[in-house]
């Protein structure tokens, strides 16, 4: 048993709570803490043990008054009044001696006997401490209850506006609620002033004879609003649920929580870069704004994969970025003239999970990642960019690193500058140059830039900087070990987008370009023999950035593919992206179509000329008198010889006329003895 402990006992289903106010070897002094007239009573130790009382937590919670407050003054007054009585504490448990002590105290105190006995009783019942005598102002009034049944208007009297004002009765409060909940909270562009006007309109409709001096004031309406509607609830009501959850609702955790190390979770996303580019092959052609895909490791914040190109965001484009994330980046950087070592960009391997937008990984496209590589795919909720906040923020930082130094940037308003100058016309950077800038910026951030606000785990050392490369290396060594390795070429081919291609004698036709491969040649697919069997179409994988090579899938096996190279008949499209090849192919088809229209326009005139000539021959035939058919058929050869001689003589005369000159040069024959018998007659064309 303990001094000041509260015990509970039941009498006829009514609970009695007793506090121990004094402990002696043989007895205890107890007091009922809920009885306003209670005094301590004596109970022997043996009797107390037999009562079977249950100890409970103290039901009275004491608040310490704030300094220099009225509550503090009331507490100090009460405690200073009964302090002399506490000096002879044990005498207070005997009624006669307690009355004597109180009578003596009243001779030197200005307080009444009732005040002294009441404070002494409170002292015992509430815990025997100075704070037990503090007033319970928290219980004053009617907390949480609205009082509408008042007759006089609350607050100060009017000094400027005429009239006495009105009391906010329950009827007026209902009109206020109707204006707030049915008008103000439903429209984002409505403020409280307009809501009050709406409430006054409701009030005038219900009470047409109300005087204008009795209309509720702006202060009354605002007080009612602030008293009955919490600020965060108002914000939530006036904001759509999607926007509230995405931009306003409090964040409950961080991205790093539950991502125990490198490769635990990758995030992938794309954006349209804020810059215009020009063609690699023709600087006069503006090709628009590139698409940038990034893959980020959540634990280390390292950029593990990239794609910069002209393909629209899709599964096909996302797979290129994922393949880049899974494989070595040394060769990728070398392709753009950047030399790095494997330790500068060590993110190689398959992660445990990938988070992406619903449109990219949702559906059958992600089956290969799940079934073949064992990756867990998670899709973000619609309009919830905060589901992958690590990758969302990174695009802005990349633009901050690059765009201040580039031309052709996207302007904030319609892409125009003052004086009508179009910003696109300043574009001077190609896709490969922009890609190189992005790679350099990401390598620098991976290796040198600390992550702001990174939330470290408890086991991470204090000398570990929040630099992505340092975090990655520490996580590999201390958390997850090495990521799962796979054959890079196999991964790349299987992650590339797949489409149908047709097969003909000219080769494998894919997107208007022709390809060939050794396996297809051995099978005789391109032989110009109809008896030789070949498939009508085949499945191919392709890299949107490279027209030189596609990969034919002969079957559904993961490891099987044929490498197909560009056919010489499509050599015009070497070293291009499929976007550039499609653009050139489209322009060529447009040129052909233009001249086809010209041909169609002229063709009727040619047809008229042909028909005119044929008609002349027909008319001449009708006017001619023919000999016998046998004679005509027998003289064809002789007639041909005669006609040929006439043609030769005609051509000889025309050539002589054209070559006449005033002075003829002297010709000396060389080796005249050998050419003296040479025949200079008109040769027969059959001799050649």
């Amino acid at each position: 048993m303990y001094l000041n402990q509260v015990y509970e006992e039941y009498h006829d289903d009514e609970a009695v709570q007793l506090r121990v106010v004094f402990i002696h070897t043989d007895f205890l002094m107890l007091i009922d803490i809920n009885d306003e007239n209670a005094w301590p009573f004596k109970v022997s130790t043996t009797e107390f043990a037999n009562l079977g009382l249950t100890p409970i937590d103290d039901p009275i919670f004491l608040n310490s008054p704030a300094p220099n407050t009225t509550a503090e003054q009331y507490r100090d007054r009460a405690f200073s009044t009964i302090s002399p009585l506490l000096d002879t504490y044990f005498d207070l448990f005997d009624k006669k001696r307690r009355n004597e002590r109180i009578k003596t105290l009243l001779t030197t105190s200005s307080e009444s006997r009732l005040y002294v006995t009441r404070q002494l009783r409170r002292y015992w019942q509430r815990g025997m401490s100075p704070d037990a005598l503090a007033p319970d102002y928290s219980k004053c009034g009617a907390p949480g209850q609205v009082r509408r049944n008042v007759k006089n208007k609350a607050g100060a009297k009017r000094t400027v506006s005429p009239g006495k004002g009105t009391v906010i009765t329950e009827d007026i409060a209902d009109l206020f609620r109707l204006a707030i909940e049915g008008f103000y909270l439903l429209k984002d562009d409505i403020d409280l002033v307009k809501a009050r006007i709406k409430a006054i309109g409701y009030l005038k409709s219900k009470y047409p004879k109300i005087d204008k001096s009795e209309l509720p004031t702006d202060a009354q309406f605002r007080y009612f609003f602030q008293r009955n509607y919490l600020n965060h609830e108002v914000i939530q009501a006036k904001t759509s649920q999607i926007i509230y959850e995405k931009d306003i609702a409090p964040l409950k955790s961080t991205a790093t929580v539950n991502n125990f190390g490198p490769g635990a979770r990758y995030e992938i996303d794309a954006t349209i870069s804020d810059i215009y580019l020009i063609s690699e092959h023709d600087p006069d052609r503006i090709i628009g704004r590139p698409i940038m895909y990034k893959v980020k490791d959540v634990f280390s914040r390292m950029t593990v994969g990239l794609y910069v190109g002209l393909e629209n965001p899709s599964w096909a484009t996302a797979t290129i970025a994922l393949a880049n994330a899974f494989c070595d980046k040394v060769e990728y950087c070398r392709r753009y003239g950047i030399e790095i070592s494997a330790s500068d960009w060590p993110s190689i391997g398959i992660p445990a999970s990938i988070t992406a937008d619903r449109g990219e990984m949702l559906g059958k496209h992600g089956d290969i990642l799940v079934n073949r590589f064992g990756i867990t795919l998670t899709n973000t909720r619609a309009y919830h960019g905060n589901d992958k906040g690590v990758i969302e923020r990174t695009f802005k930082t990349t633009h901050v690193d690059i765009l201040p130094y580039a031309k052709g940037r996207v302007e904030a308003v319609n892409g125009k500058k003052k004086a009508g100058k179009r910003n696109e016309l300043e574009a001077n950077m190609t896709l490969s140059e922009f890609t190189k800038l992005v790679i350099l910026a990401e390598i620098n951030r991976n290796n040198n830039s600390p992550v702001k606000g990174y939330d470290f785990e408890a086991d991470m050392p204090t000398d570990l900087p929040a630099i992505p490369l340092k975090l990655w290396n520490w996580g590999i060594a201390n958390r997850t070990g090495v990521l799962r390795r796979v054959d890079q070429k196999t991964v790349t081919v299987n992650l590339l987008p797949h489409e149908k291609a047709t097969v003909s004698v000219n080769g494998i036709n894919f997107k208007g370009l022709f390809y060939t491969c050794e396996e297809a040649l051995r099978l005789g697919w391109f032989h110009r023999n109809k008896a030789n069997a070949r498939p009508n179409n085949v499945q191919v994988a392709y890299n949107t950035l490279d027209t030189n090579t596609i990969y034919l899938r002969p079957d559904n096996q993961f490891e099987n593919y044929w490498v197909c190279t560009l056919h010489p008949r499509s050599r015009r499209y070497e070293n291009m992206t499929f976007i550039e090849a499609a653009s050139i192919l489209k322009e060529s088809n447009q040129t052909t179509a233009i001249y086809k229209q010209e041909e169609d326009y002229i063709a009727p005139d040619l047809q008229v000329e042909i028909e005119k000539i044929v008609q002349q021959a027909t008319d001449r035939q009708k006017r001619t008198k023919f000999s016998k058919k046998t004679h005509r058929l027998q003289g064809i050869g002789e007639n041909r010889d005669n006609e040929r001689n006439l043609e030769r003589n005609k051509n000889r005369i025309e050539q002589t006329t054209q070559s006449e000159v005033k002075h003829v040069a002297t010709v000396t024959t060389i080796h005249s003895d050998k050419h003296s018998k040479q025949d200079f007659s008109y040769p027969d064309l059959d001799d050649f």
Side-chain angles (χ1 to χ4, degrees), residues 38 48 72 293 308 324 383 453 465 468 473 658 672:
F48 181 84
E72 183 185 48
Y293 258 99
V308 182
N324 180 264
Y383 302 101
N473 292 334
Q658 293 175 1
S672 58

Side-chain angles (χ1 to χ4, degrees), residues 94-109:
D94 182 79
K95 181 178 180 180
K96 181 178 180 180
R97 283 182 287 181
R98 181 173 62 241
N99 290 334
E100 292 175 354
R101 298 290 183 274
I102 294 175
K103 185 177 181 180
T104 303
L105 176 64
L106 294 177
T107 59
T108 59
S109 175

Side-chain angles (χ1 to χ4, degrees), residues 216-476:
T217 63
D218 181 67
Q220 286 178 308
F221 186 79
R222 287 184 179 275
Y223 176 80
F224 177 86
F225 173 77
Q226 295 170 359
R227 180 69 177 77
N228 293 276
Y229 297 90
L230 298 177
N231 189 40
H232 70 276
E233 293 177 347
V234 172
I235 294 175
Q236 185 172 0
K238 291 179 70 69
T239 309
S240 67
Q241 184 177 0
I242 293 175
I243 300 299
Y244 180 82
E245 292 292 339
K246 181 172 69 76
D247 298 329
I248 300 175
L251 300 177
K252 300 177 181 178
S253 184
T254 65
T256 314
V257 174
N258 298 327
N259 291 287
F260 48 86
R265 181 160 65 95
Y266 284 177
E267 292 181 355
I268 181 172
D269 199 8
T271 190
I272 302 175
S273 299
D274 296 334
I275 188 172
Y276 288 92
L277 303 180
I278 60 175
S279 172
E280 301 270 358
H281 306 280
D282 185 2
D284 187 53
R285 296 169 58 194
I286 302 174
I287 61 175
R289 299 163 60 182
I291 302 298
M292 184 192 308
Y293 258 99
K294 279 191 185 184
V295 185
K296 278 275 191 180
D297 174 60
V298 175
F299 173 81
S300 65
R301 306 296 200 271
M302 176 183 286
T303 301
V304 296
L306 277 176
Y307 165 82
V308 182
L310 302 176
E311 295 286 349
N312 292 326
S314 63
W315 160 255
T317 319
T319 53
I320 300 176
L322 288 177
N324 180 264
F326 299 164
C327 302
D328 188 5
K329 261 69 77 176
V330 175
E331 181 58 34
Y332 171 70
C333 293
R334 186 177 293 122
R335 193 187 312 161
Y336 294 95
I338 303 173
E339 293 294 334
I340 64 170
S341 63
S343 60
D344 294 329
W345 206 340
S347 55
I348 304 173
I350 303 297
S353 65
I354 297 175
T355 300
D357 289 331
R358 293 169 59 85
E360 292 162 350
M361 300 294 179
L362 188 63
K364 64 180 181 179
H365 301 306
D367 290 348
I368 188 172
L369 295 175
V370 176
N371 298 330
R372 183 65 189 187
F373 299 133
I375 299 174
T376 301
L377 291 184
T378 57
N379 294 292
T380 59
R381 297 168 292 173
Y383 302 101
H384 279 73
N386 55 329
D387 286 349
K388 47 184 178 60
V390 171
I391 193 69
E392 291 285 351
R393 173 65 184 176
T394 187
F395 293 111
K396 183 176 181 179
T397 57
T398 301
H399 286 158
V400 169
D401 291 341
I402 296 175
L403 296 187
Y405 308 99
K407 292 185 177 181
R409 299 188 301 273
V410 175
E411 289 294 325
V413 182
N414 297 329
K416 296 181 179 180
K417 287 185 176 181
K418 293 181 179 180
K421 186 175 182 181
R422 295 299 297 253
N423 211 45
E424 300 96 310
L425 298 175
E426 296 184 354
N428 61 357
M429 191 176 298
T430 64
L431 178 61
S432 61
E433 291 170 340
F434 179 71
T435 304
K436 185 175 181 179
L437 290 182
V438 173
I439 294 174
L440 291 173
E442 294 306 317
I443 292 176
N444 177 67
R445 285 200 169 268
N446 284 346
N447 290 268
N448 303 308
S449 298
V451 179
K452 294 182 179 179
Y454 185 84
D455 50 323
F456 288 90
E457 295 284 354
D459 62 333
M460 302 177 79
T462 57
D463 60 347
L464 175 65
I467 295 175
L469 180 62
K470 303 293 185 182
L471 294 171
W472 177 279
N473 292 334
W474 182 89
I476 290 295

Side-chain angles (χ1 to χ4, degrees), residues 158-201:
R158 291 184 177 182
T159 58
V160 178
S161 300
K164 296 181 179 180
T166 186
V167 177
I168 305 302
T169 62
E170 195 60 44
D171 289 342
I172 297 178
D174 289 340
L175 298 179
F176 281 3
R177 293 189 189 95
L178 182 61
I180 292 172
E181 298 175 8
F183 185 64
Y184 174 73
L185 296 181
L186 297 183
K187 298 183 179 181
D188 185 52
D189 56 346
I190 298 298
D191 56 14
L192 280 177
V193 175
K194 295 182 176 62
R196 173 176 170 265
I197 295 174
K198 180 68 70 173
I200 292 176

